Amino acid sequence: MEEKMLMKGNEAIGEAAIRAGCHFYFGYPITPQSELTAYMAKKLLKMKDAVFVQAESEIAAINMVYGAASTGVRAMTSSSSPGISLKQEGISYIACAELPCVIVNMQRGGPGLGSIQPGQADYFQATKGGGHGDYHLIVLAPSSVQELVDLTMDAFDLADKYTNPAMILGDGLIGQMMEAVEFKERKKINLPDKEGWTLTGCKGREKKYIVPFNLDPYEMEKLNLKIQEKYNKLKEKEVRYETVNLDNADLIIVAYGIVARIAKTVMSNAKKEGINIGLIRPITLFPFPEKIIAETSEKVNKFLVVEMSMGQMVEDVKLAVNGKAEVNFYGRVGGVIPTQSEILTEIKKYLK
Amino acid sequence: MKKVFESPKSLTKDPFTYCPGCHHGIAHRLVAEALDEFGVREKTIGVCPVGCSVFAYVFFDCDMICAAHGRAPAVATGIKRAKPDSIVFTYQGDGDLASIGTAEIVHTANRGENITVIFINNAIYGMTGGQMAPTTLVGQVTQTSPYGRDPKTMGYPIKVAEMLSTLKGVAYISRVALSKPAYILKAKKAIRKAFQSQIEGKGFSLVEILSTCPTNWGLSPIEANKWLEENMIPYYPLGEFKTPEEVS
Ligand SMILES: Cc1ncc(C[n+]2csc(CCOP(=O)(O)OP(=O)(O)O)c2C)c(N)n1
Ligand code: SF4
Ligand SMILES: [Mg+2]
């Protein structure tokens, strides 16, 4: 059954999550993602064996996710920047406990209460851990409403596969955008059995416990190393990106999410002026597509990273390029969206 | 000959690691006995806090999960909603429940989540070495109220049982003590009622247990029991604050 419908980004995430078998949602209202919370309320409160709770705070919401996930169900919470900051302790616990869940961050301008317009300044928080301790989320960055749908479904699979929390890192613009989406029939994939770790009551077996701590530092180090192994596997197997026009490009734009879409318009406008631009669009921000960036830096010697931040992903691009090409940065922040003409002006500066 | 004293099935064989004279161990035992008596051990999921009883997961022989400091009621909500047929309890200290986790306990109670909360009020932060808790008595000396708790700047001790019993979603609330056998029998009864209320689907239940922390009170176990009776019980009256008719 393939259906096409016109949907707002935030609602599309909700529908995708439900179709991915997530019937447990815990949230707290915040702009610009409130439509998602409302959508889950509308759908889940009418569904049998489904749960929607408007939590008393983002802190409570993520801890409800922790509890629900410990029983083996697919659970989700969503918020926007300030609310995601509040969730960090809980996310760190979930990562340490090695439980799967999905967290949606429709970023807005920061810091502080910031603005309610779109932003990308939570990149560090999303990709470097965010909370305390050495852990990572699987971070997926959609750039269309269709991709919101597909990546939301993938996020649940990846979270289950790696027993690790996954994050959809969108922004206010993509959440508010209306686009046609298709809910494609998905191939059934084999996911690891959850039986080994789920808390269900100890009937017919030994008791199980989930404790994200160990006061013996050597044991705690072992746990860290075990989690680290998953991240290595993620880096090996789950990197995703899109490339456009890498051959013969004069300059490569690296951008993700909504900014990558603006970059595509920049590319075609530049072409009319005889400027040949290529694009690398990371789809997974963790694991980061460093290999393709490194390879490209052997062929093209100018990069421009464009973000709605003061320069966060640019650090990962620089690490990948490792001095082999010039890496420049252009960013707008606080909820301001860079226009294609200002990006083109910026590009021309470097191609003089 | 009938065995009159044996270790409850819902406790593991691990010896308690709590300090001598600490009431955590007695409270664990009463909870375990109640789980045994209702025959629910195999469908119980317990949530331990951050505090001295973070190690409750070792001692209870049922599925357990450790919550972040103060968040046990939220974790319990997630578990109970996902597995409504399970019996879910949290076990929380007074710093955990009445300070950092105030929002979670109030709203979990207010939603009438069908879980049982075992609340250990020892008037102090035990695990971190004896700082002031929201339940610390007026004038009580702790590491962070070295001149005694001054209500002018530190507020008055919070009466959790009274406060939460004003909420409509709450089914059962009582306050008990463990400082002498007669109290322990009453405490056991209260814990049973709390679980019974959950088993019958009546909604949120909580038992506040006045407990000792001889180590951080700087008293011997016997002195600590006396201190509890002379100082805590007058301020924190024992008894039932809310009962659904059928459970009382
Ligand atoms: C977020 C956070 N803040 C602070 C702590 C440190 N901490 C651990 S236990 C505790 C107090 C525990 O006191 P209480 O809840 O009364 O339990 P008790 O040890 O007295 O049984 C504190 C403040 C922590 N682990 N996490
Ligand atoms: S520090 Fe206090 S509460 Fe903790 S185990 Fe010792 S006596 Fe009990
Ligand atoms: Mg205490």
Side-chain angles (χ1 to χ4, degrees):
Chain A
M1 179 188 56
E2 310 211 340
E3 316 158 46
K4 245 199 163 110
M5 35 183 150
L6 196 62
M7 281 189 108
K8 212 175 201 185
N10 284 331
E11 299 187 335
I13 300 176
E15 185 59 31
I18 293 170
R19 289 180 189 229
C22 168
H23 299 166
F24 296 84
Y25 175 91
F26 307 90
Y28 188 85
I30 185 169
T31 310
Q33 66 80 53
S34 291
E35 297 87 356
L36 171 52
T37 312
Y39 191 86
M40 294 312 254
K42 193 168 83 185
K43 293 283 164 158
L44 296 180
L45 289 173
K46 290 252 177 209
M47 264 168 75
K48 203 174 158 278
D49 298 328
V51 169
F52 167 88
V53 178
Q54 177 169 331
E56 58 271 30
S57 68
E58 288 86 349
I59 299 175
I62 190 70
N63 284 289
M64 289 174 189
V65 167
Y66 175 43
S70 76
T71 70
V73 302
R74 285 190 160 181
M76 167 166 130
T77 185
S78 65
S79 189
S80 178
S81 309
I84 297 291
S85 292
L86 276 180
K87 290 182 195 294
Q88 292 303 330
E89 182 197 28
I91 296 174
S92 172
Y93 269 65
I94 295 171
C96 183
E98 297 193 76
L99 296 178
C101 71
V102 172
I103 301 141
V104 177
N105 181 3
M106 296 315 244
Q107 300 169 89
R108 56 193 242 180
L113 186 55
S115 72
I116 55 171
Q117 274 72 39
Q120 292 186 325
D122 303 348
Y123 177 91
F124 283 151
Q125 186 194 55
T127 60
K128 310 296 177 191
H132 57 288
D134 282 305
Y135 73 90
H136 287 282
L137 306 177
I138 300 161
V139 185
L140 304 169
S143 87
S144 66
V145 179
Q146 181 63 54
E147 219 176 27
L148 272 181
V149 166
D150 298 337
L151 293 183
T152 298
M153 293 185 169
D154 290 347
F156 283 101
D157 288 345
L158 286 167
D160 279 353
K161 190 168 163 192
Y162 291 90
T163 55
N164 198 71
M167 176 174 274
I168 299 291
L169 191 68
D171 61 70
L173 188 55
I174 220 172
Q176 302 293 329
M177 217 155 63
M178 292 268 272
E179 283 185 322
V181 290
E182 208 179 322
F183 291 91
K184 296 167 213 151
E185 199 67 64
R186 285 165 67 89
K187 259 205 327 262
K188 198 116 188 98
I189 59 162
N190 279 334
L191 290 168
D193 196 12
K194 295 184 172 185
E195 179 117 351
W197 53 264
T198 48
L199 302 184
T200 52
C202 61
K203 192 170 164 82
R205 59 161 169 81
E206 297 270 285
K207 77 161 183 186
K208 281 190 258 187
Y209 50 80
I210 294 175
V211 289
F213 78 98
N214 201 311
L215 296 187
D216 175 345
Y218 295 99
E219 289 302 316
M220 196 61 213
E221 185 179 52
K222 262 193 223 156
L223 177 58
N224 269 277
L225 294 174
K226 178 173 165 236
I227 294 174
Q228 211 58 42
E229 229 162 77
K230 294 196 301 197
Y231 304 145
N232 293 338
K233 209 170 272 170
L234 275 161
K235 287 180 190 170
E236 206 180 288
K237 299 204 163 134
E238 308 293 350
V239 173
R240 294 192 210 178
Y241 55 85
E242 180 193 358
T243 59
V244 190
N245 193 38
L246 293 193
D247 300 323
N248 310 314
D250 304 320
L251 178 144
I252 303 289
I253 294 181
V254 186
Y256 72 93
I258 204 69
V259 179
R261 274 175 79 149
I262 301 169
K264 285 182 183 171
T265 317
V266 174
M267 287 169 74
S268 53
N269 289 350
K271 196 149 196 193
K272 286 179 209 149
E273 299 188 28
I275 306 170
N276 206 356
I277 306 291
L279 172 71
I280 299 177
R281 174 173 78 91
I283 297 172
T284 53
L285 298 180
F286 187 92
F288 190 68
E290 48 200 24
K291 217 165 122 210
I292 183 68
I293 293 173
E295 284 166 12
T296 310
S297 70
E298 306 270 0
K299 296 177 265 179
V300 185
N301 64 7
K302 284 193 167 65
F303 280 67
L304 178 68
V305 180
V306 187
E307 299 176 59
M308 292 192 287
S309 83
M310 291 303 288
Q312 300 194 11
M313 181 175 71
V314 64
E315 293 192 2
D316 288 333
V317 174
K318 280 184 177 162
L319 279 173
V321 166
N322 200 16
K324 299 224 173 70
E326 175 189 310
V327 179
N328 302 291
F329 174 74
Y330 183 71
R332 297 300 303 266
V333 283
V336 180
I337 303 161
T339 64
Q340 47 90 10
S341 70
E342 65 196 41
I343 298 172
L344 188 54
T345 308
E346 191 69 15
I347 289 170
K348 286 177 184 165
K349 255 180 25 195
Y350 301 112
L351 292 179
K352 264 208 283 254
Chain B
M1 204 170 77
K2 197 172 154 243
K3 218 174 183 179
V4 290
F5 191 83
E6 59 185 338
S7 178
K9 270 208 179 61
S10 298
L11 283 184
T12 59
K13 300 278 174 288
D14 297 87
F16 290 132
T17 44
Y18 300 112
C19 308
C22 175
H23 287 178
H24 271 308
I26 308 175
H28 281 24
R29 191 189 163 89
L30 298 184
V31 171
E33 284 176 2
L35 296 178
D36 281 7
E37 287 161 19
F38 288 117
V40 294
R41 182 184 77 92
E42 294 185 322
K43 56 174 187 169
T44 295
I45 303 172
V47 187
C48 51
V50 175
C52 281
S53 49
V54 70
F55 294 109
Y57 80 91
V58 176
F59 306 125
F60 284 111
D61 199 3
C62 59
D63 279 6
M64 296 291 294
I65 183 168
C66 171
H69 195 22
R71 317 301 170 205
V75 176
T77 297
I79 294 170
K80 186 75 180 191
R81 294 291 189 111
K83 282 197 74 65
D85 295 335
S86 55
I87 296 301
V88 179
F89 75 92
T90 72
Y91 186 105
Q92 303 176 255
D94 42 5
D96 193 81
L97 180 144
S99 187
I100 195 167
T102 325
E104 281 75 11
I105 196 64
V106 168
H107 289 279
T108 301
N110 195 47
R111 284 190 304 269
E113 296 292 344
N114 192 31
I115 64 161
T116 299
V117 174
I118 305 298
F119 168 44
I120 305 294
N121 176 357
N122 58 10
I124 206 149
Y125 282 29
M127 173 163 246
T128 39
Q131 296 82 3
M132 184 178 72
T135 44
T136 291
L137 295 177
V138 169
Q140 190 182 333
V141 171
T142 70
Q143 263 188 18
T144 50
S145 57
Y147 312 111
R149 181 177 188 159
D150 177 0
K152 278 206 204 86
T153 54
M154 302 168 183
Y156 288 90
I158 294 183
K159 298 184 178 186
V160 168
E162 286 86 338
M163 183 173 83
L164 293 181
S165 61
T166 64
L167 300 173
K168 215 168 166 196
V170 169
Y172 180 77
I173 291 201
S174 73
R175 184 185 285 119
V176 299
L178 302 174
S179 53
K180 61 183 184 196
Y183 286 157
I184 294 177
L185 288 176
K186 278 194 185 151
K188 171 69 182 296
K189 233 174 151 182
I191 291 169
R192 275 188 60 109
K193 281 187 186 177
F195 278 103
Q196 192 188 333
S197 156
Q198 180 180 171
I199 290 163
E200 291 173 5
K202 299 236 155 62
F204 183 87
S205 54
L206 178 145
V207 180
E208 175 172 343
I209 304 180
L210 302 183
S211 308
T212 53
C213 176
T215 303
N216 289 302
W217 291 356
L219 300 173
S220 72
I222 291 168
E223 287 167 343
N225 280 336
K226 195 162 165 253
W227 190 88
L228 184 150
E229 287 176 12
E230 286 174 1
N231 297 281
M232 287 182 79
I233 293 178
Y235 185 83
Y236 295 117
L238 306 182
E240 289 183 327
F241 294 85
K242 194 147 187 198
T243 53
E245 238 122 77
E246 301 83 327
V247 177
S248 54

